[in-house]
Amino acid sequence: MIITLTLNTSIDKAYQISGTVCPGTVMRVDSCRNTAGGKGLNVTRVVKLCGEEVMPSGLAGGKNGELLEQLAYEDGLTGRFVHVNAQTRCCINILDENHQSTEFLEPGEEVNALELERFMAEFEKICTDAEVVTMSGSVPKGVRKDIYGDLVHKVKGWGKLVILDTSGELLREGIKAGPDMIKPNQEELSMLVGKPVTNLKEVKEAALMLHRGGIGRVVVSLGKEGALLVCGQGIFHGIPPKIKAVNTVGCGDSMVAAFAVAFRRGYDDKESLKYAVAVSAANALSEQTGYFETDELEKIYPCVRIQKIEV
């Protein structure tokens, strides 16, 4: 089983409007779609589409937390969320007629130390049957910045593979525990190594530095150029075929999901990269976030090229 963790869950509200966003005016919404959100929930949906058993977990609070669990259940996702007093946040994504996206992301209300301690105890039980655990996204107020480091250390101690996908200080602290995989973009990679990373050569050097520092697999997302993987087997560039992307939101989460699936199935690192690049590209062809059509994936997968890069 794959367990996905989202500490800062949300009710994601997708607003469809005619025209474009005009600040300082009243904007009428043509339609609204509510979904159980947070990066880890996107990962969950893609893992399920890939055909693997998956269970979402995280924090849920208040009436919004109840709605989150209901929406997840309606999507066929039976989760085990730890309940807290803080109201689960809402995140708004406004989509205009030109397919431009404007997002308003709430920070997440404060979680107290006792609630966090209760979560840590419960999470061990949640992970009992897991083989792979993914940890994604931000954290609510009140949660310490080294939380992912603690969680990675615990999960590895339980004998599970762990993928960490976060940013900023959470990522900097989290990698100290040596997760089996991280998936930074170039900006996050620059932050980790303390210098600009602007081209493929610099990406390779920075990712190799992190790998040698104790991270099993460093996957750097490169947008339409695919992804670079630095691992024990070498350095590989996964290059997708040219596609006409419809919606790139969720492509990173889809890549994390695909790697989790690949690890669960025992794929080697090259095969894992090929599968992950294909799933991410298939997600870009859908207007939905964290979704792909199986026939699109089947068309894309054989066309993904894997190039080995010399150290």
Side-chain angles (χ1 to χ4, degrees):
M1 178 187 284
I2 295 169
I3 299 294
T4 65
L5 173 62
T6 313
L7 287 173
N8 210 6
T9 53
S10 67
I11 303 299
D12 285 356
K13 294 178 171 289
Y15 290 174
Q16 191 76 47
I17 65 169
S18 301
T20 57
V21 175
C22 299
T25 66
V26 174
M27 302 294 301
R28 301 292 180 184
V29 175
D30 295 333
S31 65
C32 174
R33 185 178 72 251
N34 293 326
T35 56
K39 290 173 67 63
L41 271 298
N42 293 335
V43 173
T44 308
R45 291 184 180 90
V46 175
V47 170
K48 185 176 175 64
L49 280 170
C50 291
E52 291 295 328
E53 187 179 6
V54 61
M55 183 170 68
S57 64
L59 304 177
K63 292 298 182 183
N64 282 351
E66 293 177 14
L67 176 59
L68 175 96
E69 293 184 272
Q70 178 187 330
L71 291 171
Y73 181 77
E74 289 172 0
D75 282 346
L77 309 175
T78 302
R80 284 181 64 181
F81 295 92
V82 176
H83 297 148
V84 296
N85 290 325
Q87 191 80 231
T88 292
R89 64 182 179 148
C90 291
C91 293
I92 297 171
N93 182 15
I94 303 173
L95 302 167
D96 66 24
E97 63 183 18
N98 297 318
H99 301 290
Q100 288 186 320
S101 171
T102 303
E103 293 185 290
F104 296 87
L105 309 180
E106 294 182 8
E109 294 183 7
E110 187 165 350
V111 174
N112 66 47
L114 286 176
E115 290 172 326
L116 194 58
E117 186 178 326
R118 182 162 49 84
F119 160 77
M120 296 292 274
E122 186 66 22
F123 194 58
E124 181 173 4
K125 301 172 189 174
I126 291 170
C127 290
T128 299
D129 296 325
E131 292 152 289
V132 183
V133 178
T134 70
M135 303 178 184
S136 303
S138 63
V139 298
K141 292 178 182 178
V143 176
R144 60 185 190 276
K145 296 301 181 183
D146 63 353
I147 184 69
Y148 281 132
D150 281 357
L151 286 168
V152 168
H153 180 75
K154 287 179 181 294
V155 171
K156 289 183 69 176
W158 301 333
K160 324 291 184 181
L161 289 170
V162 57
I163 300 173
L164 177 62
D165 183 23
T166 185
S167 60
E169 200 63 27
L170 291 164
L171 178 58
R172 192 193 302 277
E173 290 296 320
I175 64 174
K176 293 178 181 178
D180 294 287
M181 179 185 135
I182 61 172
K183 191 203 63 60
N185 56 30
Q186 286 180 237
E187 181 181 349
E188 291 159 352
L189 196 60
S190 298
M191 180 272 297
L192 289 175
V193 299
K195 60 182 180 181
V197 175
T198 59
N199 56 50
L200 192 60
K201 180 176 181 291
E202 292 172 349
V203 167
K204 178 192 76 172
E205 291 170 350
L208 189 59
M209 183 189 306
L210 293 171
H211 171 63
R212 287 172 174 168
I215 300 170
R217 299 165 187 85
V218 180
V219 178
V220 185
S221 49
L222 302 171
K224 65 181 180 180
E225 301 301 322
L228 191 81
L229 166 64
V230 178
C231 60
Q233 293 182 8
I235 304 175
F236 303 96
H237 186 189
I239 306 167
K242 289 184 178 180
I243 60 171
K244 189 173 181 179
V246 174
N247 175 22
T248 59
V249 177
C251 285
D253 299 330
S254 298
M255 185 169 286
V256 167
F259 268 107
V261 168
F263 294 166
R264 166 70 181 77
R265 293 175 180 172
Y267 294 173
D268 67 22
D269 287 325
K270 285 173 63 177
E271 190 177 5
S272 297
L273 178 61
K274 182 171 183 175
Y275 184 67
V277 169
V279 169
S280 179
N283 174 87
L285 293 176
S286 171
E287 290 187 357
Q288 298 182 55
T289 299
Y291 181 81
F292 64 84
E293 295 287 350
T294 303
D295 60 342
E296 294 289 0
L297 175 61
E298 290 173 350
K299 283 188 247 179
I300 292 170
Y301 178 79
C303 302
V304 174
R305 292 182 293 123
I306 303 296
Q307 293 181 348
K308 186 164 186 179
I309 298 175
E310 297 303 317
V311 177

